[in-house]
Amino acid sequence: MEERKGFGSNFGFLMAAVGSAVGLGNIWGFPNKMGANGGFTFLIIYLILAACCGIIVMIGELALGRKTGKGAVGAYKALSKKFKWLGWLGILSAFLILFFYCALGGYCIKYVVLNVGNLFNAGFGSNGLSGADVFGNFMSNQMESVIYGLIFVLLTMLIVMGGVGGGIEKVCSVGMPALFIILLICIIRACTLPGAVNGLKYMFVPGWAVENGVIPKAPNFFSVLSTAGGQMFFSLSLGMGAMITYGSYLSKKENLEKNALLIVIMDTIVALMAGLCVIPGRFALDPEGALGGPALLFITMQNVFDKMPLGSVFGILFYLLVVFAAISSSISLLEVIVAHFCDKARDAGKGDKRKAYSLIAAVAVGLGCVLVCLDCLGGAGIAPMDLLGVEKSGWSDCWLDFFDCVSEGIMMPLGALLMCLCIGWEVGPKVVDDEVTLEGNTFKSKGFFNICVKFITPIAMLLVLAGQLDSFFGFGWFG
Ligand code: TRP
């Protein structure tokens, strides 16, 4: 039988896993949520959740993957009868996330091109229009967003076709350090702008956002908890088998516990750094601009670059950084899908057929991405609310929000909850212990892990799930 090729080195694995974790979620989610939810207070809650849930689920997923040597579907099938379908929930989530992630990745490529246009005063630059107008024009030009979205899908597919060691590891080993350096340059630029200090206050000083009228009132504890929890899961790429898949390619001699800890720490550091880059820019040069979501990335930031000396150079650098961050995440999502089918073909003795499966998966993703692009943040087309016959609300007015809410809000916390129940109660945490302690490695947090995976993490997950459902559907459970 053909050998299953994995990562060449632990560094390569770490860069790929951090690459998966660091993505659009870090850049537009974390800084804004931190500012609006009480600055340092939010950070501390986030860190506690990361320690009691993030690291736990990370160790669990990596261990399940490495133990079984299979993608998400194969791993759960090998582990338990009751949970054998759970891998499929992961594959479904991967598709839904990819649909909107690739559309957004395409927008990022468009903005690199736009800033190149600005640098050379070419016709494809902003042509003196404001950030909002440029974005509005782009959104109403559906053909253009479809083309950029498909370019992004194509790039993702080409990397995944190259395999884990050959494609994913190579791209991330270069791309992640490069991203880090560009981020440093952008932070220095942003924090030396006059007025940048208000951005730092917004992010770090508890209560500053409310006192200064940036948000009307302080959110209550439950909504902070569920915001932090949802953000953490999405940002760490947990709850849908991405880390199971990457873990399955990791060598048995590497230390899982240390790797899990490093991934969580690095992802959080990059999220904070992304905040130091975008939020001060917003407060200095576009004080009315959006603070999060696509509008932050594509309107506020473009306004900032338009007003900055040498702005187009920084614009090119910044959007390139975002493209790197997005691609290193989208390849992990596509790999979740491709790994499963390759495993199956290999088990059937047909070789792994990686290229064929990457192509088929990319075509399917491309179709969903086209749907999101045509809809262009709620423009034309049939919105989910028309199809489902429901009232217009945050999640139902466009496909982007719909796919986002269903995957991030429901499927991922649910996936993580069920994974904990599977490890803690169905197969028992010893499975993880056995895997972590292979080849003389120690499992320092074993006692902590066992308590968390059985009790603390599932309870926290239930709260996060309830909080997310509440905020999407406006049940008003948490006031
Ligand atoms: N973590 C990425 C971000 O912060 C998104 C992402 C990539 C993801 N792969 C994932 C989310 C797998 C969940 C599961 O933008």
Side-chain angles (χ1 to χ4, degrees):
M1 195 163 54
E2 197 178 324
E3 189 197 350
R4 193 174 190 268
K5 296 192 200 75
F7 290 105
S9 70
N10 196 57
F11 177 78
F13 161 76
L14 204 57
M15 287 302 108
V18 172
S20 166
V22 170
L24 299 172
N26 297 58
I27 295 166
W28 78 38
F30 188 87
N32 171 42
K33 287 178 187 163
M34 183 167 157
N37 288 279
F40 260 123
T41 327
F42 176 86
L43 183 60
I44 289 164
I45 295 177
Y46 185 91
L47 291 179
I48 294 175
L49 278 175
C52 303
C53 304
I55 296 181
I56 303 299
V57 178
M58 183 72 74
I59 295 180
E61 286 204 11
L62 291 177
L64 291 191
R66 198 174 71 172
K67 178 183 166 59
T68 55
K70 290 271 193 301
V73 174
Y76 281 113
K77 219 186 244 161
L79 227 76
S80 140
K81 274 209 187 75
K82 264 191 214 139
F83 288 85
K84 66 173 190 228
W85 51 275
L86 195 50
W88 286 105
L89 185 72
I91 294 210
L92 188 62
S93 316
F95 270 114
L96 298 190
I97 299 174
L98 275 167
F99 290 166
F100 70 91
Y101 216 80
C102 288
L104 294 167
Y107 297 0
C108 298
I109 300 179
K110 147 91 188 172
Y111 272 72
V112 175
V113 175
L114 180 87
N115 281 279
V116 171
N118 286 345
L119 184 63
F120 296 108
N121 269 325
F124 54 93
S126 320
N127 296 319
L129 295 176
S130 72
D133 288 341
V134 170
F135 192 59
N137 287 347
F138 179 50
M139 286 296 97
S140 55
N141 187 346
Q142 295 169 335
M143 226 32 234
E144 206 186 347
S145 13
V146 168
I147 291 170
Y148 280 111
L150 291 181
I151 293 178
F152 189 88
V153 175
L154 190 74
L155 289 174
T156 305
M157 178 190 80
L158 289 175
I159 300 174
V160 173
M161 274 187 176
V164 176
I168 296 177
E169 179 172 359
K170 284 218 172 78
V171 171
C172 292
S173 300
V174 179
M176 284 301 109
L179 177 144
F180 196 80
I181 292 169
I182 303 180
L183 196 52
L184 278 179
I185 299 174
C186 291
I187 290 177
I188 295 173
R189 173 67 279 206
C191 290
T192 49
L193 290 167
V197 67
N198 282 340
L200 301 179
K201 287 186 188 152
Y202 169 75
M203 261 181 81
F204 293 105
V205 179
W208 191 90
V210 181
E211 283 155 28
N212 289 273
V214 186
I215 54 167
K217 74 178 194 353
N220 67 28
F221 179 74
F222 275 111
S223 81
V224 176
L225 192 70
S226 82
T227 310
Q231 170 65 24
M232 185 194 69
F233 270 87
F234 189 75
S235 185
L236 290 175
S237 307
L238 293 175
M240 45 74 68
M243 292 298 164
I244 297 184
T245 309
Y246 273 10
S248 73
Y249 294 112
L250 184 64
S251 144
K252 294 272 184 200
K253 66 178 195 296
E254 308 299 350
N255 186 331
L256 283 185
E257 190 184 28
K258 200 168 95 200
N259 273 316
L261 190 64
L262 279 175
I263 299 169
V264 175
I265 293 177
M266 286 200 234
D267 182 68
T268 310
I269 291 180
V270 173
L272 281 169
M273 287 175 66
L276 294 180
C277 162
V278 295
I279 304 290
R282 158 6 178 125
F283 277 90
L285 296 179
D286 190 16
E288 304 292 308
L291 277 160
L296 166 75
L297 207 45
F298 301 117
I299 300 178
T300 312
M301 288 314 285
Q302 190 54 43
N303 281 335
V304 168
F305 295 124
D306 287 342
K307 293 204 183 115
M308 191 189 271
L310 283 183
S312 46
V313 174
F314 284 103
I316 296 172
L317 273 180
F318 174 78
Y319 287 110
L320 266 181
L321 171 164
V322 186
V323 172
F324 277 153
I327 278 222
S328 63
S329 301
S330 67
I331 51 183
S332 79
L333 288 157
L334 193 63
E335 180 61 28
V336 170
I337 303 165
V338 171
H340 165 64
F341 291 101
C342 289
D343 283 349
K344 249 180 94 175
R346 200 182 305 102
D347 288 348
K350 292 192 260 179
D352 72 2
K353 294 197 174 173
R354 172 170 282 272
K355 292 214 161 67
Y357 285 124
S358 306
L359 180 68
I360 299 171
V363 170
V365 168
L367 291 175
C369 170
V370 167
L371 178 69
V372 172
C373 288
L374 283 180
D375 183 50
C376 279
L377 297 176
I382 318 159
M385 57 184 176
D386 304 324
L387 222 54
L388 300 173
V390 293
E391 300 262 318
K392 179 177 159 61
S393 63
W395 58 274
S396 67
D397 59 347
C398 71
W399 288 105
L400 197 161
D401 290 341
F402 177 74
F403 290 137
D404 184 13
C405 290
V406 174
S407 58
E408 184 183 345
I410 302 173
M411 291 167 66
M412 290 174 59
L414 190 65
L417 173 66
L418 292 171
M419 192 216 75
C420 289
L421 296 180
C422 176
I423 293 184
W425 299 96
E426 171 77 2
V427 295
K430 190 166 177 313
V431 176
V432 174
D433 181 33
D434 290 345
E435 186 60 32
V436 173
T437 52
L438 283 181
E439 309 224 0
N441 285 311
T442 52
F443 191 7
K444 296 199 189 79
S445 56
K446 179 178 161 187
F448 179 67
F449 177 87
N450 289 354
I451 296 177
C452 284
V453 84
K454 282 192 155 184
F455 305 103
I456 300 180
T457 316
I459 293 171
M461 288 300 76
L462 270 180
L463 282 176
V464 169
L465 193 60
Q468 297 266 346
L469 288 173
D470 183 43
S471 71
F472 292 140
F473 300 107
F475 294 135
W477 291 338
F478 298 117

